Amino acid sequence: MQRLLNAASWDADGVRDDVRDYAVEHLGERDGVLVVDETGFLKKGTGSAGVQRQYSGTAGRTENCQLGVFLAYATSKGRTLIDRELYLPKSWTENRDRCRDAGVPEEVEFATKTVQARQMLARALDAGVPAAWVTADEAYGKDCKFRTWLEQQRIGYVVAVACNQTIPAAGGTSRADALATHAPDDAWKRRSCGDGAKGPRLFDWAVASLPVYEDTAPPG
């Protein structure tokens, strides 16, 4: 495996596409969910592409690490990863000598993690991956350009936002936490996200209808 990864000549993106097509063949459903998330890979040195001191959700703190953005596909038949992007901070993309030493192609430029997520989602949708929903955590949900892009693709999404996120509401805007306090008690439903390392992961959900913005990004 190490020889394949480090010395052999192979088309990594071609393999990615084959894996995606295989996943769709065996797991594909019209109401599939595309899941965006990132993870950190702790490192000791400074030579691995993209490594620097940055926040890692895996470690729960700032560490010397690489960050990868991943796209998973989930249906009632199963779930699997179908795409990935290595996040390269500006400290890397602005130092081409360092990039060359680490084997980073010359054409690779800086991209935020939300842009990388959009690129992976676009590849999946363009390839015909059947999906009705996209999910992501606050790191992506707080980006209005990311949410607007999803709306332009006419795909449903459920993303987390900060409690102080500005939300369009009747008569103007409201903070997300303030809007939630107006939901009646019977609007809330408790749902399980499965067991975690510390036991059941239970969340309370409520649904609200919000104004629709046409052709412009919503505030926030």
Side-chain angles (χ1 to χ4, degrees):
M1 179 61 72
Q2 287 300 317
R3 188 192 70 81
L4 172 64
L5 295 176
N6 296 325
S9 177
W10 57 293
D11 185 350
D13 289 344
V15 173
R16 173 204 63 201
D17 294 345
D18 287 344
V19 169
R20 180 195 62 218
D21 294 345
Y22 182 85
V24 170
E25 179 183 353
H26 293 274
L27 304 179
E29 290 182 340
R30 292 180 59 186
D31 60 351
V33 180
L34 292 165
V35 184
V36 176
D37 202 1
E38 63 189 65
T39 193
F41 305 94
L42 302 186
K43 294 290 182 178
K44 296 293 186 182
T46 59
S48 299
V51 69
Q52 72 169 21
R53 286 190 60 79
Q54 52 196 330
Y55 180 79
S56 165
T58 307
R61 59 185 181 274
T62 298
E63 285 281 0
N64 189 61
C65 65
Q66 294 171 297
L67 290 179
V69 184
F70 295 88
L71 183 66
Y73 183 61
T75 71
S76 65
K77 298 177 181 178
R79 58 193 182 274
T80 189
L81 294 174
I82 61 171
D83 207 343
R84 80 289 173 258
E85 287 288 346
L86 176 65
Y87 174 66
L88 290 176
K90 288 184 178 180
S91 63
W92 274 83
T93 57
E94 293 177 353
N95 187 335
R96 301 317 301 185
D97 289 338
R98 191 182 187 192
C99 285
R100 278 190 289 271
D101 290 343
V104 177
E106 291 288 342
E107 65 271 17
V108 175
E109 299 179 349
F110 174 75
T112 65
K113 285 174 280 187
T114 51
V115 167
Q116 290 179 317
R118 291 207 318 258
Q119 291 170 343
M120 291 190 294
L121 287 165
R123 284 197 290 263
L125 296 175
D126 289 346
V129 175
W133 295 93
V134 170
T135 66
D137 65 17
E138 182 185 328
Y140 303 88
K142 68 182 180 182
D143 188 331
C144 69
K145 293 181 180 179
F146 180 71
R147 302 194 308 270
T148 300
W149 183 85
L150 291 173
E151 292 168 7
Q152 291 170 345
Q153 309 313 304
R154 298 293 189 266
I155 189 167
Y157 63 87
V158 177
V159 295
V161 296
C163 64
N164 62 353
Q165 174 72 45
T166 301
I167 302 292
T173 60
S174 173
R175 281 174 50 121
D177 53 359
L179 193 64
T181 62
H182 296 305
D185 291 343
D186 59 2
W188 294 95
K189 305 296 181 183
R190 181 157 294 182
R191 296 289 183 262
S192 171
C193 289
D195 291 338
K198 298 181 180 179
R201 297 178 297 172
L202 301 174
F203 294 89
D204 294 327
W205 294 79
V207 176
S209 296
L210 301 173
V212 176
Y213 284 79
E214 296 291 346
D215 300 325
T216 59

